[in-house]
Amino acid sequence: MNERHANAREQFFAAIRTLAASADSIQIRVIAATQSILQVTIEEFEGDSELKIRFARLLDLLAIDDHLDLETAVVENAAHMTDLEAVRVADLMCDFYCELG
């Protein structure tokens, strides 16, 4: 088992479980799933530039930058996503989890 990305795998698994286990709107599920993803830092992918770039791209889609309150930024952004945009972000979360495998 690759212990190198154990925390990221654990958090992304929790995010995917949140995405799948709710009847809420896709935007609400993305907001809830993102709470797990915010437990992952980009430094966890040091030495793996491919994963680092993919993770940064996902964070960019969630409009996360150096705000003091990242969760507020995510909520504000995800709440205004179209269904198509929210599905795209959810798909990227799932794809990223598979890449961590």
Side-chain angles (χ1 to χ4, degrees):
M1 181 185 208
N2 183 358
E3 294 298 322
R4 196 163 167 218
H5 303 300
N7 179 57
R9 266 196 319 279
E10 179 182 338
Q11 298 304 329
F12 271 84
F13 180 76
I16 291 167
R17 188 174 48 226
T18 299
L19 287 169
S22 174
D24 290 328
S25 72
I26 186 66
Q27 291 85 355
I28 298 295
R29 288 185 278 161
V30 166
I31 290 167
T34 302
Q35 292 174 359
S36 294
I37 291 171
L38 289 177
Q39 304 305 309
V40 179
T41 65
I42 201 159
E43 288 81 18
E44 291 185 49
F45 306 110
E46 206 59 48
D48 191 336
S49 56
E50 175 79 22
L51 285 178
K52 195 171 190 177
I53 290 168
R54 289 176 61 116
F55 186 65
R57 188 175 302 138
L58 179 59
L59 295 180
D60 186 53
L61 287 172
L62 292 166
I64 297 173
D65 54 25
D66 291 330
H67 288 94
L68 293 177
D69 187 355
L70 297 178
E71 287 189 48
T72 299
V74 169
V75 168
E76 290 174 359
N77 188 53
H80 293 96
M81 286 181 181
T82 65
D83 287 355
L84 187 60
E85 290 168 332
V87 166
R88 179 177 176 223
V89 170
D91 284 344
L92 287 173
M93 289 177 184
C94 295
D95 290 347
F96 193 81
Y97 177 71
C98 290
E99 290 292 322
L100 290 172

XYZ file of all heavy atoms in Angstrom:
790
model
N 0.830 -1.174 0.000
C 0.000 0.000 0.000
C 0.880 1.245 0.000
O 1.866 1.317 0.704
C -0.892 -0.005 1.227
C -1.797 1.182 1.286
S -2.617 1.066 2.811
C -4.048 1.718 2.871
N 0.522 2.231 -0.767
C 1.290 3.455 -0.874
C 0.950 4.379 0.299
O -0.052 5.066 0.284
C 0.970 4.131 -2.212
C 1.782 5.383 -2.422
O 2.563 5.779 -1.568
N 1.608 5.995 -3.559
N 1.796 4.387 1.309
C 1.553 5.212 2.490
C 1.799 6.680 2.210
O 1.403 7.532 2.985
C 2.450 4.742 3.639
C 2.123 3.362 4.135
C 0.720 3.255 4.699
O 0.259 4.204 5.354
O 0.072 2.228 4.462
N 2.442 6.965 1.108
C 2.819 8.333 0.782
C 1.626 9.273 0.679
O 1.698 10.425 1.067
C 3.595 8.317 -0.535
C 4.341 9.552 -0.778
C 5.366 9.305 -1.846
N 5.844 10.594 -2.267
C 6.142 10.910 -3.485
N 6.057 10.014 -4.436
N 6.560 12.105 -3.780
N 0.528 8.792 0.147
C -0.667 9.625 -0.033
C -1.838 9.100 0.799
O -2.989 9.269 0.426
C -1.052 9.678 -1.510
C 0.032 10.179 -2.402
N 0.582 11.431 -2.269
C 0.671 9.601 -3.433
C 1.519 11.597 -3.186
N 1.598 10.505 -3.894
N -1.530 8.483 1.948
C -2.570 7.856 2.762
C -3.623 8.864 3.214
O -4.819 8.590 3.149
C -1.941 7.153 3.958
N -3.203 10.034 3.676
C -4.170 11.031 4.136
C -5.043 11.503 2.979
O -6.261 11.604 3.123
C -3.469 12.232 4.780
C -4.471 13.277 5.231
O -5.372 13.000 6.007
N -4.332 14.487 4.716
N -4.430 11.767 1.840
C -5.207 12.223 0.685
C -6.210 11.161 0.260
O -7.373 11.473 -0.020
C -4.274 12.573 -0.478
N -5.793 9.893 0.225
C -6.710 8.805 -0.136
C -7.880 8.732 0.842
O -9.030 8.593 0.445
C -5.975 7.463 -0.173
C -5.482 7.094 -1.540
C -5.121 5.626 -1.647
N -4.418 5.089 -0.495
C -3.129 5.225 -0.268
N -2.377 5.888 -1.104
N -2.583 4.689 0.792
N -7.561 8.832 2.118
C -8.603 8.758 3.143
C -9.604 9.907 2.986
O -10.814 9.699 3.033
C -7.953 8.820 4.522
C -8.935 8.781 5.669
C -8.244 8.889 7.023
O -7.044 8.592 7.127
O -8.935 9.289 7.978
N -9.104 11.109 2.779
C -9.985 12.276 2.672
C -10.797 12.249 1.374
O -11.985 12.601 1.368
C -9.176 13.573 2.774
C -8.464 13.756 4.093
C -9.383 13.694 5.292
O -10.539 14.055 5.243
N -8.856 13.210 6.414
N -10.180 11.842 0.277
C -10.923 11.775 -0.981
C -11.961 10.653 -0.949
O -13.041 10.792 -1.515
C -9.976 11.634 -2.180
C -9.536 12.960 -2.732
C -8.476 13.638 -2.171
C -10.214 13.550 -3.791
C -8.082 14.876 -2.659
C -9.837 14.778 -4.291
C -8.767 15.450 -3.722
N -11.643 9.545 -0.274
C -12.637 8.483 -0.120
C -13.844 9.007 0.644
O -14.997 8.757 0.272
C -12.035 7.265 0.580
C -13.019 6.150 0.748
C -13.366 5.346 -0.326
C -13.620 5.918 1.977
C -14.297 4.313 -0.181
C -14.551 4.899 2.136
C -14.889 4.094 1.053
N -13.591 9.761 1.720
C -14.688 10.348 2.493
C -15.502 11.315 1.629
O -16.733 11.349 1.718
C -14.136 11.065 3.724
N -14.819 12.061 0.779
C -15.516 12.999 -0.114
C -16.410 12.252 -1.097
O -17.563 12.639 -1.320
C -14.499 13.855 -0.866
N -15.898 11.182 -1.652
C -16.678 10.403 -2.622
C -17.875 9.749 -1.940
O -18.973 9.723 -2.486
C -15.789 9.363 -3.319
C -14.802 10.093 -4.235
C -16.616 8.360 -4.115
C -13.678 9.240 -4.738
N -17.669 9.258 -0.739
C -18.779 8.675 0.018
C -19.858 9.735 0.253
O -21.050 9.466 0.109
C -18.266 8.113 1.345
C -19.312 7.322 2.094
C -18.762 6.655 3.336
N -17.990 7.580 4.134
C -16.796 7.302 4.650
N -16.242 6.125 4.461
N -16.153 8.199 5.369
N -19.453 10.954 0.569
C -20.402 12.050 0.763
C -21.147 12.362 -0.525
O -22.363 12.576 -0.512
C -19.660 13.314 1.261
O -19.044 13.014 2.516
C -20.594 14.490 1.407
N -20.431 12.383 -1.636
C -21.070 12.660 -2.935
C -22.117 11.610 -3.270
O -23.167 11.920 -3.819
C -20.019 12.689 -4.044
C -19.099 13.897 -4.097
C -17.961 13.642 -5.079
C -19.870 15.158 -4.477
N -21.828 10.359 -2.921
C -22.698 9.255 -3.326
C -23.845 8.986 -2.359
O -24.856 8.409 -2.759
C -21.867 7.987 -3.478
N -23.697 9.396 -1.123
C -24.637 8.963 -0.095
C -25.689 10.003 0.273
O -26.231 9.980 1.355
C -23.858 8.569 1.162
N -25.983 10.890 -0.642
C -26.922 11.955 -0.321
C -27.903 12.172 -1.464
O -27.573 11.995 -2.627
C -26.145 13.252 -0.065
O -27.035 14.323 0.109
N -29.102 12.578 -1.091
C -30.120 12.916 -2.089
C -30.181 14.425 -2.307
O -31.008 14.915 -3.073
C -31.479 12.402 -1.639
N -29.280 15.165 -1.658
C -29.242 16.623 -1.818
C -28.833 17.001 -3.240
O -28.356 16.160 -4.010
C -28.245 17.241 -0.830
C -28.724 17.159 0.603
O -29.953 17.212 0.820
O -27.870 17.045 1.502
N -28.948 18.270 -3.558
C -28.511 18.752 -4.872
C -27.019 18.503 -5.031
O -26.287 18.369 -4.040
C -28.806 20.244 -5.024
O -27.912 21.001 -4.220
N -26.566 18.457 -6.260
C -25.145 18.201 -6.519
C -24.283 19.307 -5.919
O -23.191 19.050 -5.421
C -24.870 17.993 -8.040
C -23.412 17.587 -8.290
C -25.246 19.211 -8.848
C -23.035 16.242 -7.736
N -24.769 20.530 -5.900
C -23.999 21.625 -5.311
C -23.800 21.410 -3.811
O -22.692 21.588 -3.297
C -24.697 22.976 -5.558
C -24.684 23.416 -6.992
C -25.824 22.827 -7.816
O -26.601 22.001 -7.347
N -25.911 23.242 -9.075
N -24.856 20.993 -3.119
C -24.761 20.731 -1.678
C -23.808 19.576 -1.418
O -23.004 19.612 -0.476
C -26.158 20.430 -1.077
C -27.087 21.634 -1.233
C -26.046 19.980 0.378
C -26.673 22.862 -0.462
N -23.858 18.549 -2.259
C -22.947 17.405 -2.091
C -21.501 17.814 -2.332
O -20.601 17.352 -1.626
C -23.355 16.262 -3.009
C -24.637 15.583 -2.525
C -24.987 14.387 -3.340
N -25.667 14.831 -4.552
C -25.794 14.110 -5.648
N -25.287 12.899 -5.712
N -26.441 14.586 -6.685
N -21.253 18.687 -3.326
C -19.886 19.159 -3.586
C -19.377 19.957 -2.382
O -18.232 19.789 -1.954
C -19.815 19.996 -4.882
C -18.506 20.766 -4.973
C -19.960 19.097 -6.101
N -20.231 20.801 -1.823
C -19.840 21.576 -0.636
C -19.482 20.631 0.513
O -18.436 20.792 1.160
C -20.963 22.545 -0.227
C -21.101 23.670 -1.262
C -20.706 23.122 1.165
C -22.369 24.499 -1.124
N -20.311 19.643 0.762
C -20.054 18.697 1.851
C -18.792 17.879 1.600
O -17.984 17.659 2.510
C -21.259 17.782 2.039
N -18.598 17.442 0.359
C -17.421 16.642 0.020
C -16.140 17.454 0.155
O -15.094 16.927 0.546
C -17.555 16.098 -1.401
N -16.229 18.723 -0.144
C -15.055 19.584 -0.101
C -14.517 19.739 1.316
O -13.323 19.955 1.504
C -15.378 20.958 -0.719
O -15.815 20.743 -2.058
C -14.168 21.857 -0.741
N -15.355 19.578 2.315
C -14.877 19.667 3.693
C -13.797 18.626 3.960
O -12.837 18.899 4.681
C -16.038 19.529 4.664
C -16.983 20.713 4.600
C -18.229 20.524 5.450
O -18.407 19.491 6.086
N -19.081 21.522 5.455
N -13.926 17.449 3.363
C -12.878 16.429 3.503
C -11.644 16.810 2.700
O -10.511 16.656 3.166
C -13.384 15.068 3.035
O -14.399 14.604 3.882
N -11.856 17.309 1.495
C -10.729 17.637 0.623
C -9.888 18.773 1.198
O -8.674 18.817 0.999
C -11.241 17.939 -0.801
C -11.768 16.636 -1.398
C -10.152 18.550 -1.670
C -12.488 16.785 -2.687
N -10.515 19.663 1.957
C -9.762 20.752 2.579
C -8.808 20.256 3.656
O -7.957 21.008 4.125
C -10.717 21.801 3.159
C -11.466 22.633 2.130
C -12.436 23.585 2.822
C -10.516 23.403 1.234
N -8.914 18.982 4.022
C -7.992 18.386 4.988
C -6.692 17.942 4.314
O -5.754 17.493 4.980
C -8.644 17.190 5.687
C -9.948 17.507 6.378
C -9.839 18.640 7.362
O -8.960 18.644 8.225
N -10.714 19.619 7.232
N -6.639 18.066 2.994
C -5.461 17.684 2.209
C -4.717 18.957 1.838
O -5.328 19.961 1.473
C -5.887 16.927 0.926
C -4.674 16.550 0.090
C -6.711 15.700 1.283
N -3.397 18.917 1.928
C -2.595 20.070 1.514
C -1.814 19.717 0.264
O -1.493 18.546 0.015
C -1.611 20.501 2.616
O -0.674 19.446 2.821
C -2.336 20.818 3.915
N -1.513 20.741 -0.501
C -0.783 20.515 -1.758
C 0.618 19.969 -1.474
O 1.192 19.258 -2.307
C -0.761 21.795 -2.612
C -0.482 21.436 -4.064
C 0.206 22.825 -2.047
C -0.909 22.487 -5.058
N 1.158 20.247 -0.302
C 2.489 19.750 0.060
C 2.534 18.227 0.136
O 3.594 17.624 0.021
C 2.948 20.352 1.400
C 3.311 21.814 1.322
C 2.095 22.742 1.370
O 1.002 22.297 1.791
O 2.246 23.904 0.975
N 1.372 17.599 0.317
C 1.336 16.135 0.369
C 1.762 15.503 -0.947
O 2.079 14.317 -0.995
C -0.062 15.648 0.755
C -0.426 15.973 2.183
C -1.757 15.400 2.604
O -2.006 14.210 2.371
O -2.554 16.171 3.180
N 1.767 16.293 -2.015
C 2.114 15.760 -3.333
C 3.489 16.231 -3.802
O 3.806 16.142 -4.976
C 1.030 16.142 -4.344
C -0.337 15.729 -3.884
C -1.270 16.672 -3.496
C -0.672 14.391 -3.774
C -2.521 16.301 -3.030
C -1.913 14.005 -3.301
C -2.836 14.957 -2.934
N 4.292 16.715 -2.858
C 5.652 17.137 -3.163
C 6.403 15.960 -3.784
O 6.332 14.841 -3.294
C 6.343 17.592 -1.881
C 7.455 18.581 -2.091
C 7.004 19.853 -2.781
O 5.989 20.442 -2.376
O 7.674 20.231 -3.750
N 7.078 16.209 -4.869
C 7.808 15.155 -5.560
C 6.981 14.431 -6.607
O 7.496 13.591 -7.334
N 5.695 14.725 -6.687
C 4.822 14.125 -7.696
C 4.100 15.261 -8.417
O 2.973 15.615 -8.084
C 3.820 13.172 -7.044
C 3.060 12.327 -8.049
O 2.947 12.760 -9.219
O 2.572 11.256 -7.674
N 4.795 15.846 -9.383
C 4.278 17.056 -10.031
C 2.950 16.835 -10.741
O 2.101 17.730 -10.766
C 5.308 17.645 -10.992
O 5.713 16.691 -11.936
N 2.722 15.642 -11.275
C 1.449 15.345 -11.953
C 0.270 15.465 -10.979
O -0.719 16.136 -11.265
C 1.497 13.942 -12.546
C 0.188 13.492 -13.171
C -0.056 14.055 -14.554
O 0.912 14.447 -15.216
O -1.228 14.103 -14.960
N 0.376 14.811 -9.818
C -0.698 14.888 -8.829
C -0.823 16.296 -8.258
O -1.930 16.775 -7.998
C -0.467 13.895 -7.698
C -0.742 12.427 -8.012
C -0.433 11.557 -6.808
C -2.172 12.210 -8.465
N 0.305 16.960 -8.075
C 0.288 18.319 -7.537
C -0.482 19.257 -8.473
O -1.315 20.048 -8.030
C 1.722 18.811 -7.345
C 1.851 20.018 -6.479
C 3.314 20.287 -6.182
C 3.460 21.331 -5.124
N 4.854 21.566 -4.773
N -0.242 19.138 -9.775
C -0.937 19.968 -10.764
C -2.423 19.627 -10.793
O -3.273 20.517 -10.818
C -0.293 19.807 -12.151
C 1.090 20.454 -12.148
C -1.184 20.394 -13.249
C 1.943 20.109 -13.361
N -2.754 18.347 -10.772
C -4.167 17.934 -10.799
C -4.901 18.416 -9.556
O -6.043 18.865 -9.629
C -4.278 16.424 -10.940
C -3.865 15.931 -12.331
C -3.907 14.427 -12.391
N -5.258 13.964 -12.123
C -6.019 13.326 -12.988
N -5.557 13.048 -14.177
N -7.228 12.941 -12.664
N -4.250 18.334 -8.397
C -4.871 18.794 -7.161
C -5.063 20.314 -7.203
O -6.122 20.821 -6.830
C -4.021 18.387 -5.957
C -4.655 18.692 -4.634
C -5.823 18.061 -4.248
C -4.070 19.599 -3.763
C -6.413 18.337 -3.013
C -4.656 19.879 -2.536
C -5.820 19.250 -2.159
N -4.050 21.030 -7.685
C -4.161 22.488 -7.800
C -5.295 22.874 -8.744
O -6.036 23.829 -8.478
C -2.842 23.077 -8.285
N -5.466 22.124 -9.813
C -6.558 22.393 -10.763
C -7.915 22.194 -10.094
O -8.837 22.991 -10.282
C -6.425 21.469 -11.981
C -7.387 21.810 -13.101
C -7.145 20.963 -14.321
N -5.777 21.122 -14.799
C -5.005 20.131 -15.218
N -5.443 18.890 -15.239
N -3.784 20.371 -15.633
N -8.042 21.149 -9.301
C -9.287 20.902 -8.568
C -9.570 22.038 -7.582
O -10.685 22.550 -7.508
C -9.219 19.557 -7.846
C -10.432 19.158 -7.018
C -11.686 19.100 -7.875
C -10.188 17.822 -6.350
N -8.541 22.453 -6.849
C -8.723 23.559 -5.916
C -9.097 24.842 -6.649
O -9.922 25.624 -6.169
C -7.453 23.774 -5.086
C -7.052 22.650 -4.144
C -5.780 23.028 -3.397
C -8.160 22.312 -3.178
N -8.519 25.038 -7.819
C -8.845 26.225 -8.606
C -10.312 26.229 -9.021
O -10.970 27.264 -8.974
C -7.935 26.293 -9.833
C -8.127 27.561 -10.620
O -8.053 28.657 -10.018
O -8.377 27.480 -11.841
N -10.826 25.077 -9.410
C -12.242 24.989 -9.789
C -13.164 25.283 -8.609
O -14.280 25.760 -8.791
C -12.568 23.609 -10.367
C -12.031 23.352 -11.759
C -12.250 21.894 -12.149
C -12.700 24.275 -12.770
N -12.678 25.005 -7.413
C -13.460 25.304 -6.226
C -13.245 26.738 -5.750
O -13.804 27.155 -4.751
C -13.104 24.326 -5.101
C -13.523 22.883 -5.353
C -12.842 21.954 -4.360
C -15.031 22.751 -5.279
N -12.408 27.481 -6.501
C -12.104 28.881 -6.202
C -11.438 29.041 -4.841
O -11.704 29.985 -4.107
C -13.343 29.756 -6.300
N -10.578 28.103 -4.521
C -9.856 28.183 -3.258
C -8.515 28.849 -3.530
O -7.781 28.444 -4.407
C -9.620 26.784 -2.661
C -10.960 26.142 -2.351
C -8.749 26.867 -1.424
C -10.854 24.705 -1.928
N -8.240 29.884 -2.772
C -6.925 30.510 -2.843
C -6.481 30.805 -1.422
O -6.752 30.031 -0.528
C -6.931 31.740 -3.753
C -7.999 32.747 -3.365
O -8.406 32.756 -2.195
O -8.420 33.522 -4.229
N -5.847 31.901 -1.201
C -5.313 32.189 0.130
C -6.307 32.920 1.029
O -5.911 33.700 1.882
C -4.024 33.004 0.004
C -2.895 32.187 -0.572
O -2.877 30.964 -0.362
O -2.031 32.765 -1.211
N -7.582 32.663 0.853
C -8.564 33.247 1.754
C -8.329 32.723 3.165
O -7.855 31.609 3.353
C -9.991 32.862 1.336
C -10.452 33.550 0.112
N -10.331 32.993 -1.135
C -11.027 34.759 -0.072
C -10.822 33.816 -2.034
N -11.249 34.903 -1.418
N -8.683 33.525 4.136
C -8.541 33.069 5.516
C -9.546 31.974 5.840
O -9.268 31.093 6.618
C -8.714 34.250 6.477
C -7.622 35.298 6.417
C -7.942 36.462 7.366
C -6.280 34.702 6.774
N -10.713 32.041 5.230
C -11.759 31.064 5.511
C -12.066 30.279 4.239
O -12.920 30.657 3.446
C -13.009 31.773 6.029
C -14.079 30.803 6.498
O -13.893 29.575 6.330
O -15.084 31.271 7.034
N -11.344 29.193 4.040
C -11.474 28.414 2.814
C -12.866 27.823 2.658
O -13.403 27.758 1.564
C -10.428 27.296 2.789
C -8.975 27.734 2.781
C -8.062 26.519 2.793
C -8.678 28.595 1.577
N -13.445 27.360 3.755
C -14.772 26.745 3.658
C -15.810 27.737 3.173
O -16.684 27.390 2.369
C -15.179 26.136 4.998
C -14.417 24.868 5.294
C -14.956 24.132 6.493
O -16.184 23.945 6.568
O -14.144 23.736 7.339
N -15.722 28.978 3.607
C -16.654 30.004 3.147
C -16.493 30.233 1.648
O -17.485 30.350 0.926
C -16.434 31.324 3.910
O -16.662 31.077 5.295
C -17.376 32.403 3.435
N -15.244 30.276 1.172
C -14.999 30.467 -0.255
C -15.602 29.332 -1.066
O -16.222 29.551 -2.107
C -13.498 30.574 -0.530
N -15.450 28.104 -0.584
C -16.003 26.943 -1.279
C -17.520 27.001 -1.311
O -18.145 26.781 -2.349
C -15.536 25.628 -0.609
C -16.302 24.444 -1.152
C -14.057 25.437 -0.825
N -18.120 27.292 -0.173
C -19.581 27.354 -0.098
C -20.112 28.399 -1.066
O -21.050 28.145 -1.822
C -20.048 27.651 1.348
C -21.522 28.008 1.378
C -19.765 26.460 2.243
N -19.498 29.569 -1.069
C -19.953 30.638 -1.955
C -19.821 30.251 -3.417
O -20.700 30.519 -4.227
C -19.186 31.925 -1.669
C -19.557 32.547 -0.334
C -18.695 33.741 0.028
O -17.782 34.092 -0.754
O -18.930 34.319 1.092
N -18.710 29.609 -3.770
C -18.486 29.241 -5.159
C -19.377 28.077 -5.586
O -20.049 28.144 -6.616
C -17.021 28.882 -5.388
C -16.720 28.694 -6.851
O -17.005 29.565 -7.659
N -16.174 27.550 -7.202
N -19.395 27.021 -4.793
C -20.168 25.831 -5.176
C -21.663 26.117 -5.213
O -22.383 25.548 -6.038
C -19.869 24.675 -4.227
N -22.121 26.991 -4.355
C -23.548 27.308 -4.331
C -24.002 27.966 -5.639
O -25.167 27.873 -6.012
C -23.865 28.220 -3.151
N -23.074 28.601 -6.347
C -23.413 29.280 -7.596
C -23.047 28.471 -8.839
O -23.216 28.945 -9.958
C -22.735 30.653 -7.643
C -23.288 31.585 -6.607
N -22.676 31.761 -5.388
C -24.412 32.339 -6.587
C -23.391 32.612 -4.672
N -24.449 32.973 -5.365
N -22.548 27.250 -8.649
C -22.218 26.398 -9.799
C -23.498 25.914 -10.474
O -24.494 25.649 -9.811
C -21.434 25.153 -9.345
C -20.034 25.389 -8.959
S -19.265 23.801 -8.476
C -17.649 24.372 -8.035
N -23.410 25.773 -11.775
C -24.506 25.111 -12.481
C -24.406 23.619 -12.158
O -23.375 23.148 -11.663
C -24.401 25.308 -14.004
O -23.208 24.646 -14.464
C -24.373 26.781 -14.384
N -25.454 22.877 -12.476
C -25.400 21.428 -12.264
C -24.238 20.818 -13.036
O -23.526 19.954 -12.514
C -26.708 20.765 -12.699
C -27.852 21.027 -11.736
O -27.621 21.638 -10.676
O -28.986 20.622 -12.054
N -24.024 21.275 -14.268
C -22.947 20.737 -15.100
C -21.579 21.007 -14.475
O -20.716 20.121 -14.437
C -23.019 21.331 -16.506
C -22.061 20.753 -17.535
C -22.297 19.258 -17.724
C -22.221 21.475 -18.863
N -21.373 22.214 -13.964
C -20.100 22.547 -13.319
C -19.891 21.707 -12.065
O -18.785 21.198 -11.831
C -20.063 24.033 -12.963
C -19.968 24.948 -14.152
C -20.225 26.405 -13.804
O -20.967 26.676 -12.840
O -19.675 27.278 -14.508
N -20.931 21.550 -11.270
C -20.816 20.766 -10.037
C -20.536 19.296 -10.352
O -19.729 18.657 -9.671
C -22.078 20.913 -9.201
N -21.178 18.757 -11.372
C -20.918 17.369 -11.781
C -19.475 17.226 -12.253
O -18.799 16.241 -11.937
C -21.922 16.923 -12.868
C -21.471 15.640 -13.534
C -23.309 16.757 -12.277
N -18.975 18.225 -12.977
C -17.588 18.184 -13.455
C -16.624 18.135 -12.268
O -15.662 17.366 -12.265
C -17.297 19.411 -14.320
C -15.899 19.466 -14.833
C -15.696 20.653 -15.748
N -14.319 20.729 -16.160
C -13.626 21.846 -16.218
N -14.197 22.993 -15.931
N -12.374 21.841 -16.600
N -16.865 18.960 -11.251
C -16.010 18.965 -10.069
C -16.101 17.623 -9.343
O -15.086 17.057 -8.932
C -16.379 20.140 -9.138
C -15.658 20.015 -7.796
C -16.038 21.466 -9.794
N -17.300 17.088 -9.205
C -17.475 15.785 -8.557
C -16.734 14.693 -9.325
O -16.083 13.833 -8.719
C -18.960 15.449 -8.436
N -16.812 14.726 -10.643
C -16.075 13.753 -11.465
C -14.575 13.874 -11.255
O -13.867 12.866 -11.177
C -16.405 13.936 -12.950
C -17.767 13.397 -13.337
O -18.352 12.613 -12.551
O -18.262 13.764 -14.418
N -14.081 15.104 -11.162
C -12.644 15.302 -10.942
C -12.218 14.771 -9.577
O -11.130 14.219 -9.436
C -12.283 16.777 -11.074
C -12.285 17.326 -12.493
C -12.070 18.836 -12.484
C -11.222 16.649 -13.337
N -13.075 14.917 -8.569
C -12.768 14.361 -7.248
C -12.629 12.840 -7.341
O -11.689 12.257 -6.789
C -13.865 14.719 -6.247
C -13.906 16.165 -5.843
S -15.302 16.453 -4.720
C -15.197 18.226 -4.494
N -13.559 12.215 -8.044
C -13.523 10.754 -8.201
C -12.303 10.322 -9.004
O -11.623 9.352 -8.632
C -14.802 10.264 -8.875
S -16.287 10.523 -7.876
N -12.011 11.032 -10.085
C -10.832 10.709 -10.897
C -9.551 10.845 -10.086
O -8.644 10.022 -10.199
C -10.761 11.615 -12.138
C -11.838 11.317 -13.155
O -12.499 10.255 -13.047
O -12.033 12.147 -14.055
N -9.481 11.899 -9.276
C -8.289 12.121 -8.488
C -8.092 10.994 -7.480
O -6.966 10.525 -7.274
C -8.349 13.472 -7.763
C -7.030 13.907 -7.192
C -6.074 14.509 -7.986
C -6.755 13.690 -5.864
C -4.852 14.887 -7.469
C -5.529 14.070 -5.325
C -4.582 14.673 -6.128
N -9.183 10.538 -6.880
C -9.082 9.408 -5.945
C -8.515 8.182 -6.652
O -7.656 7.482 -6.113
C -10.450 9.107 -5.329
C -10.424 7.918 -4.425
C -9.788 7.982 -3.183
C -10.998 6.717 -4.813
C -9.747 6.879 -2.346
C -10.961 5.608 -3.980
C -10.338 5.694 -2.750
O -10.287 4.604 -1.938
N -8.974 7.933 -7.868
C -8.469 6.784 -8.627
C -6.980 6.948 -8.922
O -6.222 5.975 -8.885
C -9.249 6.628 -9.927
S -10.933 6.068 -9.674
N -6.542 8.167 -9.207
C -5.115 8.429 -9.467
C -4.251 8.173 -8.234
O -3.089 7.845 -8.363
C -4.927 9.878 -9.940
C -5.462 10.156 -11.315
C -4.668 9.459 -12.405
O -3.422 9.384 -12.293
O -5.295 8.982 -13.356
N -4.831 8.359 -7.065
C -4.084 8.134 -5.834
C -3.831 6.655 -5.577
O -2.929 6.298 -4.836
C -4.847 8.722 -4.634
C -4.899 10.236 -4.563
C -5.834 10.666 -3.444
C -3.523 10.836 -4.371
N -4.687 5.802 -6.189
C -4.648 4.365 -5.993
C -3.313 3.784 -6.023
O -2.817 2.983 -5.360
